[in-house]
Amino acid sequence: MDFNKVLDRKNTNSMKWDFAAERYGSSELWPMWVADMDFQAPQPVLDAMQEVLDHGIFGYHRRPESLKDATTEWIRTRHSWNVSNEQLVFTPGVVPAISHLIQTFTEKGEGVILQTPVYYPFYMLVNNNERTLYKNPLKETDEGFTIDVENLEEQMKAGAKMLLLCSPHNPIGRVWTEEELQQIAALAEKYNVLVVSDEIHADLILSGVHVPFSKAAEGYDVETITCMAPSKTFNLAALQLSYVVFEKKASQKAYEAHLQRNFVGIDNPFATVAAEAAYRHGTEWLEELLVHLRENVDYLKDQLESAIPEAHVIKPEGTYLVWIDLRDLGMDKKELEEWLRQEAGVALSDGHIFGDEGAGFVRINVACPRTHIDEGVRRLKEAYERTIQAAGRKS
Ligand SMILES: Cc1ncc(COP(=O)(O)O)c(C=O)c1O
């Protein structure tokens, strides 16, 4: 697989390439937002989908046991975590799954903890479901971002019912260590908090080891519900297939009943065969992808920090999303937004959308060919040089 091959995604109804105007006000901006990849899925996935297309009948479809076999085998080999087929419940996306989990396991007004800055739809999940947001901002240290264990305990003590964990963490790219996860588990046990662990990025590990929260918490009396998917790993997001792993039968039954009440669960044959082919035959593709992503992260860091000395690129341990500290440019969030759009002409994810703590940061997606990074950096560099020159003329 040549991850540097440029494929034209324009005019394909791609959110990243065709809908920047809707979000950023201009279609001329260089797109570096949206967490998907500019790569084709692995060939076995394309072949399996082609077979379904050639058959040409798209009537009601049920997910076969073989998809569950492939999924649990993947989790066992990739994450050394023993999960049985019976523990899986498929859902059309992790975000909708979390919404259903919130509705099933908490009441209106009850507290859900988010560790901020965090993937911004998490806020909508809490707010739209009329739950109360309990915030545990990540702690910024000389070694990077960590979990504020003391404040987490305060939030749990204050009565929060659920912790929505993002592991690995989008947008800051941390792969939480087993020790960090066990600190959370100890508190969740003490305060009887349900942990919903969003592990959609679990396969995208650039350094360190991903430990499923449920596995890290094995020695603790704490219930974990884990959300996973092949969508980030193999670039299948639009196929809308994800799954939830339950530990307790009673909880699983409650969730399944909730889904039935809401008529969630029409299965899609393209998603079924794509996910199964990816899990059965995608390992080699994924290993090559990870090499490419690591190289892109290093390249972006090198290029951007030499173009803009005030930029600090935080190397992600996981995900293909890079968190960049631009606070030293000295702009407030409005000024930075305007500068990125109007001066540099780039569509990046503004840090503040992930929470107030993200102000002054941006998130860049490096799941793209190398030349895509070059163009983004070129635009940022030229804008920076113009800004410096203009400031020099004024002083
Ligand atoms: C942490 C996290 N959860 C969930 C999602 C989206 O999941 P889905 O498309 O399956 O709803 C994303 C996408 O970027 C994500 O980063």
Side-chain angles (χ1 to χ4, degrees), residues 79-138:
H79 302 297
S80 313
W81 183 30
N82 282 324
V83 168
S84 72
N85 289 10
E86 291 66 43
Q87 288 175 266
L88 302 182
V89 179
F90 284 90
T91 39
V94 166
V95 172
I98 296 171
S99 191
H100 291 299
L101 290 168
I102 289 174
Q103 289 164 17
T104 309
F105 298 107
T106 63
E107 301 290 332
K108 281 196 178 157
E110 285 186 333
V112 178
I113 304 171
L114 301 184
Q115 307 204 94
T116 57
V118 76
Y119 178 57
Y120 58 90
F122 280 14
Y123 295 95
M124 300 173 205
L125 287 168
V126 176
N127 295 332
N128 295 359
N129 282 306
E130 297 173 55
R131 272 43 173 186
T132 306
L133 174 64
Y134 284 56
K135 265 174 86 162
N136 183 35
L138 297 172

Side-chain angles (χ1 to χ4, degrees), residues 66-306:
S66 59
L67 172 62
K68 291 191 171 181
D69 293 341
T71 303
T72 49
E73 177 63 18
W74 178 267
I75 299 173
R76 251 191 309 280
T77 45
R78 205 81 206 165
H79 302 297
S80 313
W81 183 30
N82 282 324
V83 168
S84 72
N85 289 10
E86 291 66 43
Q87 288 175 266
L88 302 182
V89 179
F90 284 90
T91 39
V94 166
V95 172
I98 296 171
S99 191
H100 291 299
L101 290 168
I102 289 174
Q103 289 164 17
T104 309
F105 298 107
T106 63
E107 301 290 332
K108 281 196 178 157
E110 285 186 333
V112 178
I113 304 171
L114 301 184
Q115 307 204 94
T116 57
V118 76
Y119 178 57
Y120 58 90
F122 280 14
Y123 295 95
M124 300 173 205
L125 287 168
V126 176
N127 295 332
N128 295 359
N129 282 306
E130 297 173 55
R131 272 43 173 186
T132 306
L133 174 64
Y134 284 56
K135 265 174 86 162
N136 183 35
L138 297 172
K139 223 164 49 179
E140 198 177 352
T141 72
D142 290 343
E143 283 77 46
F145 288 94
T146 57
I147 290 164
D148 186 339
V149 180
E150 285 78 33
N151 185 54
L152 182 60
E153 177 153 19
E154 288 309 313
Q155 304 308 309
M156 290 188 181
K157 212 187 272 177
K161 286 282 175 283
M162 181 186 278
L163 164 66
L164 183 47
L165 182 67
C166 194
S167 175
H169 192 99
N170 172 11
I172 57 130
R174 276 296 316 279
V175 172
W176 305 117
T177 62
E178 189 161 19
E179 291 70 34
E180 287 172 307
L181 297 174
Q182 285 173 344
Q183 285 178 314
I184 296 174
L187 291 177
E189 177 184 72
K190 187 167 168 192
Y191 295 99
N192 194 24
V193 170
L194 173 65
V195 179
V196 170
S197 189
D198 177 345
E199 306 193 7
I200 195 168
H201 296 280
D203 299 319
L204 297 165
I205 303 303
L206 308 179
S207 61
V209 177
H210 173 75
V211 183
F213 181 78
S214 179
K215 192 164 173 262
E218 259 159 21
Y220 299 84
D221 183 15
V222 47
E223 181 176 2
T224 312
I225 299 174
T226 310
C227 299
M228 296 180 130
S231 53
K232 296 288 156 197
T233 318
F234 297 106
N235 208 23
L236 310 175
L239 298 180
Q240 297 185 296
L241 179 145
S242 71
Y243 50 92
V244 180
V245 184
F246 283 90
E247 290 172 350
K248 293 199 173 151
K249 251 307 71 45
S251 300
Q252 186 168 341
K253 283 216 163 79
Y255 183 69
E256 285 169 340
H258 174 87
L259 294 184
Q260 268 165 19
R261 268 198 303 280
N262 290 283
F263 289 88
V264 179
I266 302 293
D267 299 337
N268 175 324
F270 287 103
T272 295
V273 297
E276 185 168 342
Y279 279 157
R280 289 201 191 282
H281 309 294
T283 300
E284 204 180 317
W285 183 96
L286 174 58
E287 292 305 338
E288 284 177 34
L289 169 74
L290 293 174
V291 170
H292 179 77
L293 295 179
R294 289 184 192 107
E295 286 172 0
N296 270 5
V297 167
D298 288 343
Y299 185 73
L300 175 69
K301 182 169 174 62
D302 188 57
Q303 297 293 307
L304 193 62
E305 289 182 350
S306 61

Side-chain angles (χ1 to χ4, degrees), residues 9-10 12-21 24 26-27 29-39 320 347 364-369 372:
R9 293 184 71 191
K10 277 198 223 108
T12 63
N13 298 323
S14 148
M15 191 185 288
K16 174 175 171 178
W17 285 89
D18 294 324
F19 287 86
Y24 295 94
S26 162
S27 56
L29 306 182
W30 193 243
M32 305 183 94
W33 60 305
V34 180
D36 72 10
M37 309 201 261
D38 290 334
F39 312 131
Y320 46 69
I364 286 186
N365 177 348
V366 294
C368 55
H372 193 81

